[in-house]
Amino acid sequence: MVKAIRRIGHLGLLAAAALAFGCAFDLTDVKYQSARLDPAAGSETAFIVAEDAPIHGAPCGYSRSLRKGSRWFAVGRLPEGVVYRSRDQTLTVECSNVFEAYLVVSEGRLVGFYLPVEKGFSPLSEPIPLAVSRQP
């Protein structure tokens, strides 16, 4: 009887190991570089997204969209552009984890994301032109 219980226990361990090693789980992470956010100067502006703006080329292939009518306020500056945060729309970047993200805009184009918790910049593969209206 004891041998039978041990044998069942060993088979259970083998089955658990096979399941654990047989399941592929892709662990990818957002690629970002450390970035120092300089506070927004008084000359930085806010904008409203004029039309829905799909974001392609986001890290790990997850698609996002900026909602028409969402307001974005300048919170700082990186060498790559001005960093904007919204009170209307929460933006995240997802891979194996979920990261809060702010927009980084240069010359009217979305060039990447600022990750405030990680204090890092994650570039887009290609900049995306944004249709916006300026706020006073």
Side-chain angles (χ1 to χ4, degrees), residues 4-136:
I5 292 174
R6 282 189 184 152
R7 180 167 287 186
I8 291 171
H10 291 303
L11 289 175
L13 284 174
L14 286 173
L19 284 173
F21 291 110
C23 296
F25 183 69
D26 188 16
L27 289 175
T28 57
D29 207 1
V30 172
K31 304 271 189 276
Y32 65 89
Q33 57 203 33
S34 292
R36 188 173 149 261
L37 181 67
D38 293 325
S43 64
E44 303 297 350
T45 59
F47 66 85
I48 296 175
V49 176
E51 56 188 55
D52 287 342
I55 300 171
H56 303 290
C60 300
Y62 282 86
S63 62
R64 294 285 176 265
S65 184
L66 301 180
R67 287 192 316 262
K68 177 181 178 178
S70 59
R71 289 181 163 84
W72 295 83
F73 303 91
V75 295
R77 178 174 280 286
L78 300 174
E80 293 83 6
V82 179
V83 178
Y84 292 90
R85 179 180 186 191
S86 178
R87 294 182 194 112
D88 302 324
Q89 179 177 358
T90 301
L91 186 64
T92 59
V93 174
E94 297 181 31
C95 284
S96 295
N97 290 318
V98 178
F99 300 88
E100 179 181 15
Y102 301 164
L103 303 179
V104 179
V105 178
S106 178
E107 299 176 1
R109 299 177 309 154
L110 176 62
V111 296
F113 304 99
Y114 177 71
L115 309 176
V117 175
E118 292 74 16
K119 295 182 172 68
F121 172 71
S122 179
L124 286 172
S125 55
E126 292 288 326
I128 299 169
L130 293 176
V132 302
S133 60
R134 293 284 171 198
Q135 283 292 104

